[in-house]
Structures are given as C-alpha cells and as structure tokens.
Amino acid sequence: MPGIPDYPWYGVIEGDHIEQGDIVESCPIFLPPDNLVIDAGGKPSSATFKWKEQDLIVMSQSCDLVKGREKVDDILLCAIWRRSELAIDPHLGKDSGMEDARKGRMPAFHVLASCVIPGFEREVRVVDFRRVYSLPVAFVRSRTRLSERLRLLPPYREHLSQSFARFFMRVGLPIDIPPFTAKKA
Amino acid sequence: MRFATAAAVATLHIPAIYRPRPDEAAEYDRQVDHWLAQQRVARLSDTRPESQILSPTATGWSPIPSNVFADELLDWDVAIEAAPIRPSGTLAARLEYAGRATPTPTTEPWD
C-alpha cells in the first residue's frame, strides 16, 4: 500500500554475528542427570547427559554479543514452538487460546508471525518464556555458521524483549486488595 | 512582673469563629474560583465525598461498574505443561573440573 512503510518481521542472516531476535532452529540443549555428583578437584568423572533438540530465539541484548567484544559468556535463549506442535495443548491448541496469546493476555507467551520468505517459510510460532536456556556464546556461534537463519527485526524484536521483561518481573502479592465489585441490590 | 492567673484567663475575650452565611459562602467560593481561573490554577481537591470525586462525571458514561477488569484478563499462570516431543538422546560426557568461575573484567562499565 503506497504511503505505508514496509516493516518486515524477519530477515535472513548468514554468519556468526548474533543479535537479539536471532532464531536458532534445531539447536541441542543439554540436561545433566538429576543425581549428578561431581567432585571439584577430584578425578574426571563420567555422566550421561540427555540432550534434546529445540528451536530457540536469542533474548540476550545485541550489544552484549558483539563479536570480539562480548560482555557475556553465555547467551540467554527462549524456546519457540510451532503452532502445529501445540495442537494438543489445552490453551494454545485452540484458536481462542492463540488469540488470547496474540493479544498479550497470556504473559508467559509471545506470538511470532508466520514467515513467507522463500526457503524460510514458517508457520506462526510461540515464544515460551517459561523455558529459558543459556548456552555458551562460542557454541551458539558455531551453530549459526552451519546455515542461514531468520532474524526477528525491529520493532518486533523490541516487542518480544518487552514481553519477556514484563513476564520476568512479575510480582504476585501474598494478600491482594479485594476486587471492587458492585453490591447486589 | 505580671503572672497570669486562672481568673485572668477566664476573663479573656475570645471572639467567636466567623462563619459566613450559606449565601455568603457561595459568593466567596465564586470569587475564589474566579481568581483561580485568572491565575490558571486548578483546585486539587474539594470537599465532595471521595466517591464522587473519583467517579466519572461525564455524561454518557455508564453508571454501572464494568464487570470486566483489565488485570483479570491476564492469565499469568497458563503454561505448556507437556512440551511437544522433539528429537532427543543421551550423551556420555566426561567431566573435568575447570576451576571456579571467575568474573569477566569490567572494561566499559556503562556500555
């Protein structure tokens, strides 16, 4: 439409310069055994870790991830799910639940638009703020060198970051003020 | 030196607090409002009951309290209880102690 600037949701990125909003698909995350016991300073020990594949989105600030001037050792990432993967979810499996998430009524989730870039067609996805991971910067960089990836672009990136902050800083009051409801006649 | 005594105090004449008549009070209020308007000063409060002050007075507003509160529209507790199944496996790892973690030196504290 003439006169309306084009604000695409995604761009396709190549290389290992990572920014907030980069989507790292099929990235392994590692889960130590629940009963892992290690002895600091002792002999090397062995353990069996579980790993699982996860689509992730970078939540760390881009300024902390500048290559060669990193200010963090690990990158903060959140899980993202394809909408079709949530088909059996009691909330997000329904259109009404997705609509609630889209409107921001479920602060634990953030909805990402579908992508129609040729070769990167993706359905609507949901960022899950309850599943947060960290991985070493070098490890994620090595993953990003393997293939091109999608990057969430401004202002959608900042919108995501703000949603995460809102969820993370939530405060539950132990004793809330009773609701101001109308008295029954 | 003079000392006040109870008897002396009892004879002090204390004028009654002046209370304007209702019609005078209205005129004073009108004059004050006129002066405030000239000074572009708004009253921050008045003597109405709080419920009236806080209630919307614009015509056309529904006097019936809304049964929907914005905060109640948010569901903070909803979660994906059962995560979708993704490829997974196990990994045999050999753990070597790399020493206690050390903080990264701060070079640009405000950057």
Side-chain angles (χ1 to χ4, degrees):
Chain A
M1 186 180 294
I4 296 180
D6 192 17
Y7 288 109
W9 273 71
Y10 302 101
V12 176
I13 303 299
E14 185 180 14
D16 60 1
H17 287 271
I18 302 170
E19 290 188 5
Q20 185 183 65
D22 281 14
I23 295 174
V24 187
E25 296 182 345
S26 302
C27 184
I29 54 174
F30 308 98
L31 311 170
D34 296 342
N35 57 354
L36 178 66
V37 177
I38 50 176
D39 179 18
K43 291 188 298 183
S45 55
S46 298
T48 300
F49 280 51
K50 288 182 181 173
W51 67 271
K52 63 179 178 179
E53 198 177 272
Q54 183 76 63
D55 292 344
L56 302 167
I57 188 163
V58 173
M59 301 304 302
S60 292
Q61 297 274 355
S62 302
C63 56
D64 287 340
L65 302 173
V66 177
K67 195 174 180 183
R69 292 193 289 119
E70 293 92 344
K71 294 182 176 58
V72 292
D73 296 326
D74 303 286
I75 297 180
L76 189 69
L77 307 113
C78 277
I80 53 177
W81 306 107
R82 296 189 291 266
R83 189 186 177 192
S84 59
E85 290 180 301
L86 302 171
I88 60 169
D89 185 82
H91 301 284
L92 297 172
K94 303 172 186 170
D95 284 346
S96 59
M98 284 297 296
E99 179 63 6
D100 281 341
R102 188 188 70 84
K103 288 181 174 174
R105 291 174 180 166
M106 295 179 182
F109 304 112
H110 187 85
V111 179
L112 300 179
S114 59
C115 179
V116 294
I117 297 174
F120 289 88
E121 295 86 355
R122 300 288 186 274
E123 60 185 291
V124 164
R125 294 189 275 193
V126 176
V127 182
D128 185 350
F129 293 144
R130 291 191 194 278
R131 287 185 167 83
V132 183
Y133 305 96
S134 70
L135 289 169
V137 175
F139 178 81
V140 179
R141 283 203 198 287
S142 71
R143 295 290 306 180
T144 59
R145 286 188 211 109
L146 300 177
S147 60
E148 293 178 316
R149 64 188 178 280
L150 286 176
R151 172 174 291 170
L152 190 67
L153 299 178
Y156 313 103
R157 177 170 66 192
E158 286 72 19
H159 192 213
L160 165 70
S161 179
Q162 185 189 50
S163 297
F164 182 56
R166 189 184 304 119
F167 176 72
F168 196 80
M169 70 181 183
R170 71 192 187 278
V171 176
L173 300 180
I175 302 172
D176 209 346
I177 300 169
F180 299 96
T181 53
K183 292 178 181 175
K184 294 180 180 177
Chain B
M1 185 176 290
R2 301 177 64 184
F3 294 92
T5 62
V9 170
T11 60
L12 284 175
H13 174 66
I14 302 175
I17 297 173
Y18 173 69
R19 294 183 186 281
R21 297 193 312 271
D23 57 324
E24 290 177 331
E27 175 60 18
Y28 292 150
D29 282 347
R30 191 191 65 75
Q31 291 184 18
V32 169
D33 284 341
H34 179 69
W35 182 84
L36 289 175
Q38 286 181 326
Q39 305 300 316
R40 299 181 181 279
V41 175
R43 286 178 187 254
L44 295 179
S45 64
D46 56 26
T47 55
R48 289 179 295 166
E50 186 176 272
S51 60
Q52 289 181 20
I53 297 171
L54 299 180
S55 298
T57 55
T59 57
W61 285 35
S62 171
I64 304 170
S66 168
N67 59 358
V68 176
F69 296 88
D71 188 51
E72 292 179 359
L73 294 174
L74 300 181
D75 188 344
W76 292 92
D77 298 325
V78 68
I80 299 172
E81 302 287 350
I85 298 172
R86 285 294 186 87
S88 62
T90 57
L91 189 70
R94 184 168 179 267
L95 305 173
E96 293 184 24
Y97 184 59
R100 187 172 171 78
T102 55
T104 305
T106 304
T107 53
E108 300 169 65
W110 307 116
D111 189 11

